[in-house]
Each structure stands twice: as structure tokens, then as C-alpha cells.
């Protein structure tokens, strides 16, 4: 349902829990409703943005404009056969509610992405990923409203430009598309993907690779490593894992033999764990009065209580500079800074 709020406090709408205000926030349920809302051009004439679950955003100032906030939570089965079920999910559903829904129905593909905070509509933007899986593995299409023409569009996954934490929604369609629903293609045939880290061992300890056990294992690993945003403000990994030329990675590996190297998009590149670099630089557990680095995962910056966005950003800049000086590697933020 469409609702309007004026001069709204954004503290409860961002998982870092930093204070900021927006001039206006408008909720929308469906693409049709959003289209109606934008039809007279008033909102689009000013500054506007999409505020989804607020789990990957850092507010460093007030938002002088209108935030569009999806609230539709519907899941609709589009087709179902012996091997696949296609579902259309509205942008405002909590991601983990979708994963739970799929696991309860024996549908494969989302289980490794259990417990990732955020809304379904944000999943394709970041191409969220964890434990060897990414949203792009199951996304079939993305439904959006083109704010340039107010045309409803459906973009097939092949046209979404998915890469590591990348998509067209962060690129050419930024500031143009508003995602209103996502179509997923889920499998009925068991396809456990347990290649990442401790996942195989944890799943075996729970009794084997059933959907429920994989979900339980991923949930347990995440709870151990990542702070619960309901208790400690954070936005998951603050930085992306940097992709560097293989020669650069190999030179670092000579100096630091325990540096893990991961495959990147091609043979000529490697992905390095930013968490390892930040940890090795001595930042893990670092604490300032209001902000800090999580003690179990150096990639996560936390609000220790009463932090502002500027304080979080200050810490991030110091970490970034230090990592670059020590290792010669630039790390980019994964979190969107507003
Ligand atoms: N490491 C350290 N110290 C640390 C953190 C990590 O040495 O403080 C080392 C680990 O020992 C491991 C390597 O770095 O060898 C990678 O660590 P981990 O497996 O925890 O994964 P990550 O690369 O730090 C990524 C994603 C996470 C996702 C996990 C699991 C990014 C930016 N982050 O983290 O995603 O949950 O893999 O798949 O790609 C997120 O995007 O918000 C997020 C939490």
C-alpha cells in the first residue's frame, strides 16, 4: 500500500543504525502502484533513490529528496514441472524469508544464501553471494520500472550484467531502474554445493547434505562470523574482495605464503580476501569510541554504539590507506555510501 512519510528518521531503516533523515519516503507495493506514484513527475523532478532493506548502505548525511521503499512481499508460482519451479517474488520480501520458503518446499538453489540480510529486490543489484553461490545462479529475470519512460520492463538475467557483487543496476541503470520483483528458477533435483570452506564438514556433522542441513550449517557459520545487525549495527562485508593481476597476487604470495588466493573471472586475475589483508594489517577487533572492526571477521565494520556515518567512513578510509601502503592493493567499498 502506498504511504507517504515526511522528514523521516532513517535510523531504523539502515542496518548500521546511524542517524540520518530523509525529506520524504514513499512506500510502494507493486510496479503498477509505483508507476501511478511517479506518473505526475513530481517525485522524479527532485532527488530520489531506492531504500530497500538498508543493509548495504551507509548514510553520511541527510537525504534531501524522496526515498522509494518497496513493501510488496508476495511470492507467486509461475510454473512448476518435475525438475523446476519458477517463482515471481516482490521486491519488499526479506531475502531470508524467501530462502526459508524454498527450503520448506524442497526447492534447491538458494540454501547457501541463507541468512543474508536484505530484501529480495536488492539481491540482483549486488548479485549477493556467499558460500560458493550467487543470486545470479537462480535469477531468471528482473522486473523493473524504467523511470525515464515509466515503462515496465523485464530484464532477462543474461542482460543484467551480473559479476562479482556487480550488475547493470549498479552501472548503467543506476538512478534509472526501480526493481519491483525478481523471477527465480529453483530446482527440484538435489544439487548440494558444499565446496566452500567448512560447509561440507558442518553439513556432514548435521547428518548429510539435505536442504535443511545446508541451511542450518550456513546459518551457524554466519552466526559465528558475522554480527547480527539487530544487536550490533553493521552492513556485512564493508569492502569487496579485490581482484588483482595474477602476477601481483603471486608476488604477494611469495612474501606471505599463507595468503589465500581465489579464482577470478579469468586466468590472468586472482581474487584476494580483503578480510585477510585487513586482519594481517592488524585491524581485526580494532575499537574506537563509537566504531570498530568486528573481532571474528575483519571485513565487517561495526557501530559500537552511537556512531555516525562519517565516523564509520573515517575508519574505512584509514583501513583502506593502511592496506594499500602495506600490500599495494586497493580495496573498494562494497557498501553504498550516501
Ligand atoms: N580471513 C582472515 N581474517 C579475517 C577474515 C577473513 O584471515 O578477519 C581469511 C579467512 O581465513 C579466509 C579468507 O580470508 O581464508 C576469506 O574469508 P571468509 O571465508 O570469511 O570470506 P570473505 O571473503 O571474507 C566473502 C563475502 C561474504 C560471504 C563470505 C562467505 C565478500 C566481500 N564477502 O567474505 O559476504 O558471506 O565470503 O562466502 O565477497 C557480504 O557480502 O556482506 C558478505 C558477508
Amino acid at each position: 500500500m502506498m504511504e507517504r512519510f515526511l522528514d523521516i528518521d532513517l535510523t531504523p531503516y539502515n542496518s548500521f543504525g546511524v542517524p540520518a533523515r530523509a525529506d520524504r519516503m514513499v512506500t510502494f507495493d507493486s510496479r503498477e502502484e509505483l508507476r501511478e506514484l511517479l506518473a505526475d513527475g513530481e517525485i522524479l523532478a527532485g532527488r530520489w533513490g531506492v531504500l530497500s532493506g538498508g543493509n548495504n548502505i551507509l548514510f553520511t548525511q541527510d537525504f534531501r529528496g524522496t526515498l522509494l521503499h518497496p513493501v510488496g512481499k508476495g511470492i507467486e508460482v509461475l510454473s512448476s514441472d518435475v525438475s523446476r519451479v519458477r517463482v515471481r517474488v516482490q521486491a519488499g520480501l526479506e531475502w531470508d524469508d524467501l530462502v526459508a520458503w524454498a527450503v520448506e518446499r524442497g526447492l534447491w538453489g538458494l540454501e547457501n544464501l541463507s541468512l543474508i540480510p536484505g530484501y529480495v529486490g536488492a539481491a540482483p543489484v549486488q548479485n549477493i553471494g556467499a558460500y560458493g553461490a550467487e543470486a545470479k545462479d537462480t535469477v531468471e529475470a528482473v522486473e523493473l520500472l524504467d523511470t525515464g519512460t515509466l515503462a515496465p520492463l523485464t530484464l532477462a538475467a543474461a542482460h543484467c550484467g551480473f559479476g562479482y557483487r556487480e550488475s547493470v543496476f549498479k552501472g548503467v541503470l543506476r538512478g534509472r531502474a526501480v526493481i519491483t520483483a525478481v523471477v527465480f528458477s529453483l530446482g527440484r533435483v538435489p544439487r548440494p554445493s558444499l565446496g566452500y570452506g567448512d560447509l561440507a564438514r558442518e553439513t556432514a556433522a548435521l547428518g548429510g547434505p539435505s536442504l535443511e542441513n545446508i541451511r542450518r550449517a550456513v546459518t551457524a557459520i554466519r552466526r559465528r562470523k558475522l554480527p547480527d545487525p539487530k544487536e550490533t549495527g553493521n552492513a556485512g562485508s564493508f569492502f569487496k574482495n579485490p581482484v588483482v593481476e595474477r602476477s601481483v597476487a603471486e608476488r604477494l604470495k611469495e612474501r606471505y605464503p599463507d595468503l589465500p588466493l581465489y579464482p577470478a573471472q579469468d586466468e590472468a586475475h586472482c581474487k584476494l580476501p580483503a578480510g585477510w589483508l585487513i586482519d594481517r594489517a592488524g585491524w581485526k577487533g580494532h575499537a574506537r569510541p563509537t566504531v570498530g572492526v568486528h573481532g571474528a571477521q575483519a571485513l565487517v565494520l561495526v557501530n559500537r554504539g552511537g556512531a555516525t556515518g562519517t565516523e564509520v567512513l573515517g575508519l574505512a578510509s584509514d583501513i583502506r590507506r593502511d592496506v594499500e601502503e602495506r600490500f599495494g592493493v586497493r580495496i573498494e567499498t562494497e557498501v553504498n555510501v550516501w
Side-chain angles (χ1 to χ4, degrees), residues 134-203:
E134 286 183 322
K136 75 170 171 59
D137 307 335
T138 50
V139 170
E140 180 184 292
V142 176
E143 295 185 1
L144 57 94
L145 188 75
D146 175 354
T147 58
T149 59
L150 292 189
L153 296 179
T154 300
L155 213 55
H159 296 130
C160 290
F162 288 131
Y164 167 61
R165 298 295 193 276
E166 281 300 339
S167 74
V168 286
F169 309 107
K170 288 175 90 176
V172 291
L173 292 184
R174 191 194 194 114
R176 173 133 192 174
V178 180
I179 294 173
T180 54
V182 183
V183 177
F184 295 89
S185 173
L186 305 174
R188 287 197 192 274
V189 183
R191 278 188 74 183
S193 164
L194 304 173
Y196 192 100
D198 297 339
L199 192 52
R201 203 170 39 78
E202 295 256 351
T203 307

Side-chain angles (χ1 to χ4, degrees), residues 55-56 112-113 116-117 126 128-133 164-165 196-197 221-222 225-226 234-242 258-262 271-280 284-285 293-300 332 334-335:
N55 292 279
N56 203 44
N112 289 37
L113 305 178
I116 294 185
Q126 281 288 107
I128 57 170
Y131 307 104
Y164 167 61
R165 298 295 193 276
Y196 192 100
I221 298 171
R222 287 189 76 92
K225 286 200 178 165
L226 301 165
N234 78 92
S237 299
F238 195 89
F239 300 98
K240 293 205 271 189
N241 286 330
D258 58 332
L259 168 69
L261 305 184
Y262 300 118
K271 205 190 301 173
L272 305 177
W276 187 97
L277 298 171
I278 297 167
D279 187 352
R280 254 318 175 77
K284 185 143 92 180
V293 180
H294 188 50
Q297 165 51 291
L299 207 44
V300 179
E332 307 291 342
E334 177 187 313
V335 168

